[in-house]
Amino acid sequence: MRLFSALCPLFAVITSLSLSAATLSVTSPDGNIELILDDTHLSYKVQFHGQQVIAPSALGFRFLQLPALGEGYKITGHSRNSVNQNWQQPWGERATVLDQHNELAVTLKHPERKAPFTLRVKLFNDGLGFRYEVPQQGVAKLDIIDELTEFRISDSKQSTAWWIPGRGWNRYEMLYRTTALNEVDRAHTPFTFKLPSGVHLSIHEAALVDFAAMVLDQQRDGVLKSDLTPWSDGIRVKTNGSFTTPWRTIQIANNAVGLINSDLILNLNEPNKLGDVSWVKPGKYAGIWWGMHLATQTWGSGPKHGATTENTKQYIDFAAKNGFDGVLVEGWNIGWDGEWFLNGAVFNFTKPYPDFDFAAISAYGKEKGVKLIGHHETSGHISNYEAQIADAYDLYAKHGISQIKTGYVADGGQATRIDENGIERKEWHDGQLMVNHYLYSVTEAAKRQLSINTHEPIKDTGLRRTYPNWLSREGARGQEYNAWGSPPNPPEHTAMLPFTRMLSGPMDFTPGIFNLAYNGLDAENRVQTTLAKQLALYVVLYSPIQMVADLPEHYDAHPAAFQFIKDVPSDWAQSKALQGEVGDFVVFARQDKHSDDWYVGALTDEKPRTVTVKLDFLPAGKRFSAQIYRDGKDADWRTKPYEMIIEQQRVTDNDSLTLPLASSGGAAIRFKAEN
């Protein structure tokens, strides 16, 4: 009987392939997720614990030069594979990643066309990915004008979605909306939603290379269709007759924290292509940055110019004194004067302002054991930047600069290229041209052992596994909006990011503001958190490079709280989301990669709440000193944001901690292992 049961799925496949219409299915290793492919109209559906979570959804593409790939294609063959192995990250949320999946590769062919294509599907216990592998179609040029891939959600009126609009003027830097799923228009990914059953899903993509990014366009209620970002001429993707798409991904979990604890996106990317990457260094950095946003300094030249030799040396002293390994300098190079935002052609990436002495600063940093972090703002003028990349990266390598923050602050749809006829064209930040440009920056940097932190980027799709020098990126509303944004980031913002933007990968949010109301408590532009929540961000919002974002003098006002920032690492052996709900609150535990110490970060939205944290993540039989930084009794982000209690307890894995979180409050804990 057991043998018959084991053979039933295989028997069903053989039987279905003998009919005019065929179906194939593949399940996750734990059997909870199933994808079923049907070639009747070339569609797929997904079930989770037997419940349909993705209804039958179309597959395929439309081309300019050839008939569509889609309906009419039939299953002509397939192969299966299973993988269960670990791989090591050189840096990351965890040192060891488990890759356990079942794979189905399906060959599909149209009876009236010569070339077949492959649909490759991988099912993990935390979700799935599928991609199209299209071989040469017998043409020298094949332009994609539409992707037909759908994600159909049956009960869209009763499902809740958390999303930001796709292809807007402000790129990805928008506040997340909480709506019924059927109220979504066109949304960026990761796109997170919850079904009436409580099942949480997130749609995204992995390994975005030489392709246009996908946004989701809702057509009929509950029908989310892939909408590829076009070139300026309307073509979505330009190919030479063959192509392999990014993986279309669906993360699936019983609850919200299950999405966070997924490694699906990383597992769908290729292994490290750079070889020895011991030169890629996580760490913490200070920088000449926040003063510009507060208008106490300027990027451009003049009496308040921030990037001077003297000022940079002072920041190097601050970093060295407190154990930070880098200093970011913005505004050092010619081009910041005038209307730089509207004219990226003015930037020169090898000529500093006269008051910035590259050689002297580099030598001073080396003496103090602090590296200089370079900065390239392009204003989205890609042609101007690419013409200078080789010389600019060579200059940084010459001066021992190992990390670069790049910026592309043009409005969405306003990235500039000069075409082969000398005509200026405007492109989207997430179109095929820009996808290729961002990766070109990373690979050129790798040739010189430089790492990249991209701002105004293409969204993360896990390529940090393949190119580990792509350390971090922005791609969401960061801390700077609290200085001048209207409105600034609301209390729910950092409780929203772990379940949405952060599902794609690290974010350079720039935490650690200690002067929370620079213009007064009643000002619109202020940080809408408590001080304890700013500490919690170092644990909650993962990045291998974390900025100590405020001005040095503001840390001097809170030396006891500043100790946590000095202690907290940015590279982890293990990470686990313990509790949370999207946009409400979240609790993380992470273990330092280079010691036995653990850290916990907890934060909440505008609603005060008390969370009880079981410490069963700590190793059994060991004692720890819990150094706790939490909101005080009267703490409130509006009126008393600095109220904080700092206390210490001895704990083991059998204990629990009860943490009262104020309105937009938080808690940060270091568990220091005792000998």
Side-chain angles (χ1 to χ4, degrees):
M1 185 64 180
R2 289 180 181 176
L3 178 60
F4 177 76
S5 298
L7 292 176
C8 274
L10 179 60
F11 180 77
V13 167
I14 295 171
T15 302
S16 64
L17 286 176
S18 68
L19 305 175
S20 59
T23 60
L24 285 170
S25 69
V26 57
T27 61
S28 57
D30 62 8
N32 291 333
I33 304 173
E34 182 182 26
L35 181 142
I36 302 168
L37 180 69
D38 187 337
D39 71 3
T40 305
H41 299 288
L42 193 54
S43 65
Y44 75 99
K45 64 181 179 180
V46 179
Q47 297 184 154
F48 180 55
H49 291 295
Q51 172 195 355
Q52 182 173 276
V53 293
I54 302 292
S57 302
L59 297 164
F61 287 91
R62 290 199 301 123
F63 308 111
L64 185 63
Q65 294 86 358
L66 293 175
L69 182 157
E71 191 162 345
Y73 277 77
K74 297 297 181 183
I75 298 171
T76 59
H78 71 281
S79 62
R80 296 180 183 272
N81 187 35
S82 294
V83 170
N84 187 359
Q85 62 186 14
N86 292 319
W87 58 274
Q88 303 298 310
Q89 293 197 88
W91 54 265
E93 306 93 321
R94 55 188 56 81
T96 302
V97 177
L98 172 64
D99 178 1
Q100 183 183 19
H101 69 265
N102 291 330
E103 178 179 335
L104 172 66
V106 183
T107 303
L108 295 120
K109 189 177 184 304
H110 194 284
E112 298 175 3
R113 298 168 206 163
K114 291 183 179 179
F117 78 95
T118 298
L119 186 75
R120 189 174 303 274
V121 185
K122 292 185 179 182
L123 264 73
F124 303 78
N125 294 337
D126 50 359
L128 62 94
F130 62 86
R131 73 179 184 189
Y132 303 83
E133 299 171 3
V134 180
Q136 177 54 241
Q137 297 294 295
V139 292
K141 179 181 180 182
L142 184 61
D143 295 327
I144 297 173
I145 58 174
D146 194 17
E147 180 174 350
L148 305 178
T149 304
E150 294 175 342
F151 306 85
R152 289 181 175 249
I153 294 90
S154 300
D155 197 345
S156 63
K157 292 182 180 179
Q158 301 302 316
S159 297
T160 303
W162 298 273
W163 61 287
I164 54 174
R167 289 209 293 277
W169 72 271
N170 209 20
R171 305 169 306 275
Y172 303 96
E173 297 179 19
M174 290 165 279
L175 293 175
Y176 278 84
R177 305 177 183 182
T178 303
T179 70
L181 193 144
N182 69 324
E183 296 175 24
V184 174
D185 184 9
R186 187 170 61 196
H188 274 305
T189 69
F191 174 78
T192 302
F193 60 101
K194 179 176 71 171
L195 301 177
S197 64
V199 172
H200 286 65
L201 299 96
S202 183
I203 299 171
H204 189 42
E205 54 187 318
L208 174 56
V209 176
D210 195 22
F211 215 75
M214 172 184 73
V215 302
L216 297 174
D217 183 20
Q218 182 158 218
Q219 300 180 331
R220 295 171 183 257
D221 282 1
V223 181
L224 302 172
K225 179 183 170 297
S226 173
D227 182 2
L228 299 175
T229 299
W231 287 76
S232 53
D233 61 7
I235 300 299
R236 305 302 176 117
V237 177
K238 302 181 180 185
T239 82
N240 62 3
S242 65
F243 61 91
T244 296
T245 71
W247 296 90
R248 278 66 188 96
T249 66
I250 307 172
Q251 289 169 253
I252 309 173
N254 286 310
N255 51 41
V257 294
L259 294 179
I260 301 177
N261 291 322
S262 167
D263 290 315
L264 176 75
I265 303 299
L266 281 176
N267 274 322
L268 287 169
N269 276 266
E270 295 182 23
N272 172 20
K273 288 185 175 181
L274 301 183
D276 178 15
V277 289
S278 57
W279 47 272
V280 178
K281 301 291 187 183
K284 287 175 288 189
Y285 69 99
I288 299 172
W289 176 77
W290 187 239
M292 286 83 139
H293 294 288
L294 296 178
T296 62
Q297 298 174 331
T298 61
W299 284 281
S301 61
K304 295 197 296 183
H305 188 213
T308 66
T309 301
E310 180 182 1
N311 196 28
T312 305
K313 286 184 176 181
Q314 290 176 0
Y315 269 82
I316 289 173
D317 289 342
F318 168 73
K321 176 183 175 182
N322 293 291
F324 308 136
D325 60 8
V327 169
L328 166 73
V329 183
E330 296 196 7
W332 67 271
N333 60 310
I334 299 295
W336 287 97
D337 297 321
E339 296 294 327
W340 59 268
F341 179 86
L342 300 173
N343 183 16
V346 300
F347 282 110
N348 186 297
F349 301 101
T350 57
K351 291 185 179 180
Y353 280 112
D355 56 359
F356 187 82
D357 188 331
F358 238 131
I361 292 168
S362 299
Y364 190 76
K366 186 175 182 180
E367 175 188 331
K368 295 285 186 174
V370 176
K371 64 191 176 191
L372 202 60
I373 298 174
H375 181 248
H376 288 161
E377 178 52 63
T378 70
S379 293
H381 200 301
I382 306 313
S383 296
N384 181 52
Y385 189 41
E386 290 193 352
Q388 299 184 62
I389 273 182
D391 290 341
Y393 290 5
D394 285 347
L395 175 69
Y396 277 168
K398 173 185 175 183
H399 288 286
I401 295 172
S402 59
Q403 291 179 10
I404 308 172
K405 175 182 175 180
T406 58
Y408 300 83
V409 293
D411 284 352
Q414 295 296 307
T416 302
R417 70 178 173 98
I418 308 301
D419 73 9
E420 60 277 8
N421 298 313
I423 299 173
E424 184 176 281
R425 305 291 185 187
K426 298 294 186 179
E427 306 290 351
W428 289 97
H429 283 66
D430 54 347
Q432 185 182 16
L433 172 91
M434 290 298 290
V435 166
N436 290 343
H437 165 78
Y438 289 117
L439 187 53
Y440 174 72
S441 164
V442 169
T443 54
E444 285 299 300
K447 294 175 183 177
R448 299 159 176 85
Q449 295 194 351
L450 304 174
S451 297
I452 296 293
N453 168 20
T454 316
H455 280 231
E456 298 79 39
I458 180 62
K459 61 186 172 184
D460 198 347
T461 59
L463 284 168
R464 58 190 167 114
R465 178 184 182 186
T466 313
Y467 305 97
N469 67 319
W470 206 341
L471 277 170
S472 194
R473 72 187 78 199
E474 194 182 32
R477 250 179 170 247
Q479 187 83 263
E480 67 274 15
Y481 279 83
N482 295 321
W484 44 256
S486 184
N489 297 328
E492 74 168 10
H493 186 58
T494 49
M496 186 75 75
L497 290 175
F499 303 95
T500 53
R501 157 66 181 86
M502 303 298 296
L503 296 181
S504 69
M507 180 184 174
D508 189 29
F509 181 83
T510 59
I513 300 303
F514 271 32
N515 187 333
L516 299 165
Y518 189 77
N519 298 310
L521 290 176
D522 295 329
E524 177 187 21
N525 292 120
R526 53 159 295 189
V527 180
Q528 296 188 3
T529 75
T530 66
L531 185 58
K533 187 172 180 177
Q534 286 294 308
L535 299 183
L537 294 177
Y538 284 90
V539 182
V540 171
L541 299 183
Y542 171 67
S543 177
I545 48 171
Q546 289 282 25
M547 190 174 193
V548 187
D550 210 338
L551 307 180
E553 56 265 31
H554 294 164
Y555 294 117
D556 292 340
H558 303 278
F562 188 45
Q563 184 62 47
F564 183 82
I565 295 181
K566 292 195 285 185
D567 291 338
V568 67
S570 60
D571 196 15
W572 305 102
Q574 302 180 61
S575 293
K576 186 177 183 181
L578 304 177
Q579 304 175 43
E581 296 292 345
V582 185
D584 293 340
F585 77 104
V586 68
V587 182
F588 267 93
R590 303 189 195 269
Q591 184 195 1
D592 179 18
K593 190 172 184 177
H594 303 290
S595 76
D596 293 330
D597 293 358
W598 281 78
Y599 290 77
V600 161
L603 57 82
T604 184
D605 61 0
E606 71 283 352
K607 180 182 177 181
R609 70 185 76 231
T610 297
V611 295
T612 299
V613 181
K614 293 181 179 180
L615 305 185
D616 51 6
F617 55 84
L618 296 174
K622 289 186 69 73
R623 285 193 172 273
F624 290 81
S625 172
Q627 301 164 5
I628 304 168
Y629 303 74
R630 62 178 177 87
D631 294 318
K633 180 176 179 294
D634 299 320
D636 185 287
W637 77 264
R638 298 174 187 83
T639 57
K640 293 187 177 181
Y642 302 104
E643 290 281 325
M644 181 187 288
I645 293 173
I646 302 175
E647 58 188 355
Q648 191 160 305
Q649 297 182 31
R650 295 184 74 194
V651 298
T652 70
D653 65 305
N654 294 317
D655 294 320
S656 297
L657 291 178
T658 299
L659 304 173
L661 308 179
S663 175
S664 196
I669 308 170
R670 179 190 185 187
F671 296 90
K672 185 172 177 57
E674 296 183 351
N675 293 330

